[in-house]
Amino acid sequence: MLITAGIWGFGFIAQRVGAMVLEPFTFNACRFGLGSISLIPLLLYFNRRSGNKIPDTATKKLVVFSGVIAGTIIFLAAWLQQAGLSDTSAGKAAFLTGLYIVIVPIFGIFLNHKIKVSTWIAVAFAITGLYLLSVTESFTIAKGDLYEIAGAVLWAVHILVIDYFTKKVDALKLSFVQFLTSAVLSLIVALLFESNTLSQLQQGIIPILYGGIGSVGIAYTLQVFAQKHAKPSHAAIILSTETVFASLGGIVILNEQLGTRGYIGCAMMLAGMLLSQAPSFAKNDTSKNISIE
C-alpha cells in the first residue's frame, strides 16, 4: 500500500512535467491509453484463475455501461487535474485533489447517511488547510487551484459511482473499460481542439510512461493484491500519504516551495483526511474503500 501511495504521489510530478510540454487532453489520451493496455496482462491472469469463464451478455453490457459512466467522469476529472497542474505545483495539486477523501462523506448527506462529529471536524480542518494553502492574503485563488478543487469534487463523485458498480461487476474489468473510455474521449477532444507536435510528444514520453504504466498498471495491480490483506479504513489512511510523497517529490525533483503558510495548510488538510476515516476504524469494519490515482 505504501509503495502504491509513493507511485501515485510521484505521479503528480510526472503529470506536472507533462503539463509543461503537452496539452492536457493529449497527455491524458496517451496516459490512459497506455494504462488500459497495461491492465491487459492482469485481466488475462485473473481470467485464467477463474477458469476462463465467459460472462453472460447482461453482465458484459453492465460492465461496459458502468465503465463508460465511470470513464466519462474520469475523463472530466483528469482534464481538470492536468489543466490545473500547468498553473500550480505538484504538491499543492496532490493535497487539493486529496480533498475527495473529505468530500465523499459529505456527499453521503444526499444519500441519507449519518455524518459523525469526527467528519465535521475533518471538514473544518480541510477547509482551513485549503484556505491557508490556496487563498492569498488578498483573498484570491489561482486558476490552477480552482481546477484542482473542481477535480476533487468529480473524483469524489467517481468514488461513489465505483462503489455502486463494483457491487455488481468485476472491479478489474470495470477499471479497464473506464480507463479505455477516458483515453478515447481524451483522444477525440485532443484531435479536435489541441495541436501537439511530434517533438512535444517525445519530450513528454517519460511522464506518459510513468503515468500510464506506473500510476495505472503497476500501482493498480499492487492495490488490488494489497487490499486483499488490509482493512479498507487502514488502506485509506495509507493511500492518503500519496499527498506527502507528491509534496516531497515536488521539493526534491522540481524544487517547489510552498512556504510556511502553505505547509501548515498541507498539514491541516492531511489531518482532515485522516480524521475523515476515523469512523471506519470499527471492530467490524467491512466497508469498501475505493481510491484513485
Side-chain angles (χ1 to χ4, degrees):
M1 280 295 179
L2 196 61
I3 294 173
T4 300
I7 293 173
W8 281 343
F10 282 98
F12 280 93
I13 311 303
Q15 288 179 245
R16 170 66 171 153
V17 175
M20 296 176 184
V21 294
L22 288 170
E23 295 184 75
F25 289 113
T26 300
F27 181 84
N28 284 336
C30 297
R31 173 193 174 200
F32 285 111
L34 188 59
S36 58
I37 292 171
S38 70
L39 287 181
I40 292 177
L42 195 60
L43 282 167
L44 295 174
Y45 169 76
F46 279 108
N47 189 46
R48 283 198 299 271
R49 285 194 61 180
S50 65
N52 294 312
K53 293 180 181 178
I54 300 175
D56 57 62
T57 303
T59 301
K60 288 180 181 178
K61 288 182 178 179
L62 185 57
V63 169
V64 173
F65 174 76
S66 57
V68 169
I69 296 296
T72 301
I73 298 172
I74 283 186
F75 158 71
L76 294 171
W79 161 62
L80 287 167
Q81 185 182 77
Q82 192 62 22
L85 274 163
S86 64
D87 192 43
T88 193
S89 68
K92 187 186 289 189
F95 275 96
L96 294 177
T97 298
L99 280 172
Y100 77 86
I101 296 174
V102 179
I103 295 172
V104 169
I106 298 303
F107 279 173
I109 294 174
F110 302 101
L111 301 175
N112 296 320
H113 294 173
K114 185 179 179 181
I115 306 301
K116 298 189 177 182
V117 174
S118 59
T119 300
W120 290 118
I121 296 174
V123 171
F125 269 92
I127 292 175
T128 304
L130 172 63
Y131 174 81
L132 292 173
L133 183 62
S134 296
V135 180
T136 66
E137 294 179 0
S138 57
F139 295 99
T140 59
I141 185 169
K143 182 175 70 173
D145 290 0
L146 283 175
Y147 281 174
E148 299 298 337
I149 295 168
V153 174
L154 284 177
W155 287 124
V157 173
H158 176 260
I159 286 174
L160 295 175
V161 168
I162 289 294
D163 184 59
Y164 175 78
F165 282 122
T166 49
K167 297 171 184 175
K168 303 176 182 295
V169 299
D170 181 82
L172 186 58
K173 293 176 181 176
L174 170 59
S175 293
F176 174 76
V177 176
Q178 71 173 355
F179 291 142
L180 185 60
T181 298
S182 180
V184 171
L185 291 175
S186 296
L187 179 61
I188 291 172
V189 177
L191 291 174
L192 289 174
F193 300 106
E194 294 181 348
S195 56
N196 290 280
T197 64
L198 181 60
S199 175
Q200 286 175 294
L201 285 171
Q202 290 174 336
Q203 292 178 56
I205 190 64
I206 299 300
I208 289 171
L209 288 173
Y210 187 99
I213 297 177
S215 294
V216 177
I218 296 175
Y220 181 82
T221 302
L222 289 174
Q223 183 194 14
V224 167
F225 284 101
Q227 282 203 229
K228 289 183 178 181
H229 308 285
K231 287 178 63 177
S233 54
H234 294 176
I237 296 298
I238 296 172
L239 292 175
S240 68
T241 61
E242 69 175 296
T243 56
V244 179
F245 283 108
S247 185
L248 291 173
I251 294 170
V252 175
I253 299 174
L254 301 179
N255 197 31
E256 295 176 346
Q257 299 295 330
L258 299 178
T260 303
R261 176 188 170 107
Y263 289 121
I264 293 174
C266 287
M268 295 196 71
M269 290 180 72
L270 183 60
M273 293 174 200
L274 299 179
L275 278 170
S276 72
Q277 296 299 314
S280 298
F281 278 83
K283 206 167 187 179
N284 298 316
D285 178 13
T286 56
S287 61
K288 282 191 176 185
N289 174 67
I290 307 296
S291 301
I292 54 102
E293 53 79 31

